[in-house]
Amino acid sequence: MAEQSKQPVSNGHALPTIEEKEPVSFRISYFGFGGRAAPLRLAAYLGGLSYEDNFESFDEHGQAKKNGSRRWSGIPELTIFDKEGNEVVTVGQSNACLRYIGTLAGLYPDNPVQRVLVDELLDSVEDMIHMMSPSIKEKDKDKKKQARLKLMEADKLPYWLNKFEKRLEENEKRGFDNGYFVGNGVTIADLKFYYQIANILSGNLDHIDGDKLVKPCPRIANFAKIINSLDGVKKFKSEFSSQQKQYKEKKASSFYQKGKSMYGTIN
């Protein structure tokens, strides 16, 4: 594995150098905030996997795009290692990365029907993200306000949240009563949707009334509470917050999570 510019740390403590420690399963590369990497990081953490979390700056990402070293265009990227710590491959596209991690973590069903239901949810969350993205990128305050108010109209966010509410209801009617989207356990679909609904309910999106949107969707409201209450989610958030602080203080940009090492091979 390539040596990082700063010594990796975990929970605020310096770890052995890359050469001294056991190789990790993979490296997640993304900015020092949740975004599209949030479900990847949480899936790896909940699955008890060993991994390296590399925080990139916007300048570093821009330079990587400029010099052509980016896999596709954006991040996250997932670098998979073999048992000797050699890079097997780096892949992009957040849903592809999430499926890989979910497979190792036991959060992506083996049952083909359940798996396609998870895939359907992942793609539907992407549809909702793409619908919201222009309002997030808009710099003009008046245009942003108009875009956000448009999202509150019946055929926008209310339409999509109603669809997700129906998916929860369907799973419940199949006899799965734990409040998740597919089956009775957490899947990567739950993690993907969780971060999207958490963003809507955060109050950080001006002119988006999250409470109003979720009021007709009691299962979604309950779903958010269920995920928030999971011990693993609480622990992950606490550790990630600590890592963000260290990154902002320029103490570290790479973090090592101990856990099960599940290495990759392409042959």
Side-chain angles (χ1 to χ4, degrees):
M1 288 165 47
E3 187 175 354
Q4 297 296 318
S5 58
K6 292 183 175 67
Q7 187 168 346
V9 300
S10 179
N11 299 326
H13 301 289
L15 288 167
T17 63
I18 295 294
E19 290 75 15
E20 293 172 340
K21 69 180 177 61
E22 181 182 349
V24 294
S25 306
F26 49 80
R27 178 197 300 132
I28 299 170
S29 296
Y30 194 68
F31 306 117
F33 54 83
R36 287 187 174 275
L40 280 66
R41 290 163 167 155
L42 182 53
Y45 188 91
L46 293 180
L49 301 174
S50 68
Y51 65 97
E52 182 182 348
D53 197 351
N54 182 51
F55 289 9
E56 288 193 13
S57 68
F58 288 110
D59 287 343
E60 288 170 333
H61 171 56
Q63 184 58 43
K65 286 189 68 173
K66 185 177 180 181
N67 64 28
S69 62
R70 201 88 282 169
R71 174 73 174 178
W72 294 104
S73 176
I75 46 179
E77 287 183 343
L78 188 71
T79 301
I80 300 167
F81 299 105
D82 65 19
K83 62 182 179 180
E84 281 78 37
N86 301 309
E87 295 187 7
V88 174
V89 68
T90 294
V91 296
Q93 302 297 347
S94 59
N95 278 349
C97 297
L98 183 56
R99 289 184 182 100
Y100 180 83
I101 295 173
T103 299
L104 299 187
L107 301 174
Y108 193 32
D110 293 327
N111 179 293
V113 176
Q114 289 192 341
R115 182 170 286 210
V116 77
L117 289 172
V118 167
D119 290 341
E120 177 190 44
L121 287 157
L122 297 180
D123 291 341
S124 297
V125 174
E126 283 295 323
D127 285 342
M128 192 161 62
I129 290 172
H130 287 310
M131 181 180 66
M132 296 177 68
S133 289
S135 78
I136 295 172
K137 296 176 181 178
E138 180 59 63
K139 301 298 183 182
D140 183 274
K141 289 184 178 180
D142 291 333
K143 291 181 179 179
K144 181 185 286 287
K145 178 179 179 180
Q146 291 305 312
R148 292 275 171 80
L149 292 176
K150 189 78 174 174
L151 288 171
M152 293 293 296
E153 294 180 1
D155 63 337
K156 299 298 188 299
L157 283 175
Y159 173 89
W160 281 98
L161 292 180
N162 178 60
K163 292 296 184 182
F164 284 104
E165 177 76 5
K166 287 182 179 297
R167 301 295 83 79
L168 287 169
E169 182 181 10
E170 287 173 354
N171 196 48
E172 183 182 303
K173 288 181 177 179
R174 294 185 185 107
F176 302 113
D177 56 2
N178 284 352
Y180 301 118
F181 276 101
V182 180
N184 254 340
V186 175
T187 70
I188 53 175
D190 297 302
L191 305 186
K192 180 90 172 182
F193 180 76
Y194 167 70
Y195 277 105
Q196 191 62 20
I197 196 62
N199 189 35
I200 290 171
L201 291 171
S202 68
N204 295 327
L205 301 176
D206 292 342
H207 314 296
I208 296 294
D209 189 340
D211 291 337
K212 181 179 179 180
L213 287 168
V214 172
K215 188 175 181 180
C217 305
R219 292 177 181 81
I220 289 178
N222 185 55
F223 167 85
K225 291 178 181 178
I226 290 171
I227 301 297
N228 277 326
S229 70
L230 296 176
D231 287 341
V233 173
K234 292 178 183 178
K235 291 177 181 177
F236 170 76
K237 287 182 176 181
S238 176
E239 289 191 25
F240 186 67
S241 178
S242 174
Q243 292 167 357
Q244 286 182 300
K245 182 179 179 182
Q246 293 173 66
Y247 179 64
K248 289 177 182 177
E249 294 174 350
K250 302 187 184 302
K251 292 180 179 178
S253 61
S254 185
F255 302 89
Y256 174 69
Q257 181 65 43
K258 294 181 179 180
K260 297 177 293 185
S261 292
M262 303 182 72
Y263 304 116
T265 178
I266 205 166
N267 298 320

